[in-house]
Amino acid sequence: MKFSEQLRKKVDSIWNASFEHPFVTGVADGSLPIECFNYYVQQDSFYLSKFAQVQSIGAAKALDFHTTSQMAFHAKSTFDAEHMLHEGFAKDLGLEKNSEGHMAVEAAPTAVAYTNHLFSVAYKGSLGEVIAAILPCYWLYWEIGEKYKGSTPGHPVYQKWIDTYGDEWFATLVKEQIDRLDEWAEKASDEEKHRMEAIFVTSSKYEYMFWEMSYTLEKWPV
């Protein structure tokens, strides 16, 4: 069994909870209150601005020029996807970017915690650990896109979201990072693979928390 397959099996119950979260099912069937999706778009804009930075740190940690180039390409792809998808959402939903280039008026506690987790791994860990940290975001969204492909939510914004993550261009990016994780794991020590597993699980939990944050319009308590 490949290392990626071991990780996917490890987080199966966590990902199933994401698949069935009312935010995700609400997008698929069109029942999600639009204010929840507005909040998600704002927070995801903040998240992706940090995600691209973590991908860029990963590029600097690569051990060969090709991997550096590909990780940098992924960072650029995150920007392009954010621009393509979220800019479209912003127009449809009447949202505007702030001076930092994202749409969140204030980053929610979960968004801050998740991105801090990614930065902690990026600055302290290897490229393999960086990929383990960011891969759940790629992979989970791809599986959601596949699971709910063909859904007809009856709302153009929700339809666009589902179609984006079920598209083949996104699948190609995901599969590339899965392969890169497996290549790194082949040479990694047992200790490093244990760290990679723990990091992957933590990011998977944060992905679930991101749905919950958006669904409940999470705010700072003080």
Side-chain angles (χ1 to χ4, degrees), residues 28-210:
D29 65 19
S31 65
L32 181 72
I34 193 64
E35 60 266 25
C36 296
F37 195 80
N38 283 3
Y39 195 67
Y40 162 82
V41 171
Q42 292 172 320
Q43 297 299 324
D44 200 42
S45 178
F46 166 79
Y47 171 84
L48 289 176
S49 71
K50 307 306 179 186
F51 190 83
Q53 293 175 10
V54 171
Q55 289 170 309
S56 298
I57 296 170
K61 294 203 168 197
L63 303 180
D64 62 88
F65 187 44
H66 174 72
T67 303
T68 295
S69 173
Q70 287 304 107
M71 290 296 294
F73 172 76
H74 277 250
K76 178 65 163 55
S77 296
T78 295
F79 172 82
D80 290 343
E82 198 278 336
H83 182 77
M84 176 184 70
L85 192 62
H86 288 76
E87 290 287 336
F89 289 157
K91 291 178 183 177
D92 293 337
L93 301 172
L95 303 174
E96 295 182 359
K97 286 188 174 182
N98 59 26
S99 60
E100 295 179 12
H102 59 77
M103 288 177 266
V105 175
E106 181 180 33
T110 293
V112 172
Y114 191 179
T115 53
N116 283 348
H117 158 68
L118 297 180
F119 277 121
S120 176
V121 173
Y123 281 113
K124 294 191 294 185
S126 65
L127 174 61
E129 289 169 81
V130 173
I131 295 171
I134 64 177
L135 184 55
C137 181
Y138 284 86
W139 195 349
L140 177 64
Y141 271 65
W142 176 41
E143 290 202 14
I144 288 173
E146 288 294 306
K147 181 178 178 64
Y148 291 107
K149 186 183 292 184
S151 296
T152 52
H155 193 300
V157 170
Y158 294 174
Q159 190 68 61
K160 187 186 299 183
W161 190 84
I162 292 169
D163 292 345
T164 296
Y165 296 113
D167 196 85
E168 189 58 35
W169 75 268
F170 187 67
T172 299
L173 293 177
V174 177
K175 291 173 184 176
E176 181 188 326
Q177 292 290 48
I178 292 173
D179 289 344
R180 185 166 289 118
L181 181 83
D182 285 327
E183 290 171 5
W184 188 277
E186 287 177 2
K187 301 176 182 178
S189 66
D190 289 342
E191 183 180 355
E192 183 177 6
K193 285 188 286 188
H194 180 74
R195 291 196 303 272
M196 290 165 68
E197 178 184 289
I199 290 165
F200 188 88
V201 170
T202 297
S203 290
S204 295
K205 291 176 179 178
Y206 273 124
E207 285 295 325
Y208 176 86
M209 291 172 65
F210 211 90

